[in-house]
Amino acid sequence: MATNTSAKNGRGSDVTVDDLSAQLERVKTDLSELTRVMGELGTAKTAQAQNAAQAKAAELRDQAYATAEHLRDSSAEKFADAQSQAQDFVRTQPATALGLAAGAGFLVGLLMTQRR
């Protein structure tokens, strides 16, 4: 490598090949450092976004479980209430309950048979 070669820069001072090589090395080092820092920043932002997504998913899961539990409890209460009312009706009006059951059975039988 020729170290004696020089050129004039815009300010009138001599710039040697060694000066240019040193400046290029600094640029490469700076770019390398910048790349490393940007990679670390990207990794940190990715981890931050992942943590936020996991927290939101856990929150939504908890809400879904609470809603499902509420609906299950509500449905169970409604079913138990309807069952209790049906039992009370059969106890207080057995003839009417028997007539309703026979009528419902007759209608189901008609619907199930095939008429051509």
Side-chain angles (χ1 to χ4, degrees), residues 30-45:
D30 289 347
L31 283 175
S32 174
E33 180 65 17
L34 181 61
T35 303
R36 184 189 63 77
V37 168
M38 292 300 289
E40 288 175 0
L41 179 63
T43 301
K45 288 292 184 182

Side-chain angles (χ1 to χ4, degrees), residues 2-7 15-18:
T3 58
N4 296 344
T5 306
S6 65
V15 177
T16 65
V17 172
D18 289 338

Side-chain angles (χ1 to χ4, degrees), residues 15-90:
V15 177
T16 65
V17 172
D18 289 338
D19 292 338
L20 289 175
S21 294
Q23 287 180 0
L24 284 175
E25 275 303 311
R26 280 191 296 246
V27 168
K28 285 192 328 186
T29 302
D30 289 347
L31 283 175
S32 174
E33 180 65 17
L34 181 61
T35 303
R36 184 189 63 77
V37 168
M38 292 300 289
E40 288 175 0
L41 179 63
T43 301
K45 288 292 184 182
T46 300
Q48 184 181 14
Q50 184 179 15
N51 290 339
Q54 287 174 343
K56 187 65 174 176
E59 178 185 337
L60 292 173
R61 183 190 63 232
D62 292 344
Q63 286 178 353
Y65 282 143
T67 301
E69 186 174 324
H70 174 70
L71 290 175
R72 185 177 56 242
D73 291 345
S74 177
S75 296
E77 289 174 7
K78 288 179 183 178
F79 179 76
D81 187 39
Q83 184 180 15
S84 175
Q85 288 178 359
Q87 287 174 344
D88 289 344
F89 181 76
V90 170

Side-chain angles (χ1 to χ4, degrees), residues 105-116:
F106 179 73
L107 287 176
V108 169
L110 282 177
L111 293 174
M112 297 298 286
T113 59
Q114 293 181 355
R115 294 200 174 219
R116 294 181 190 215

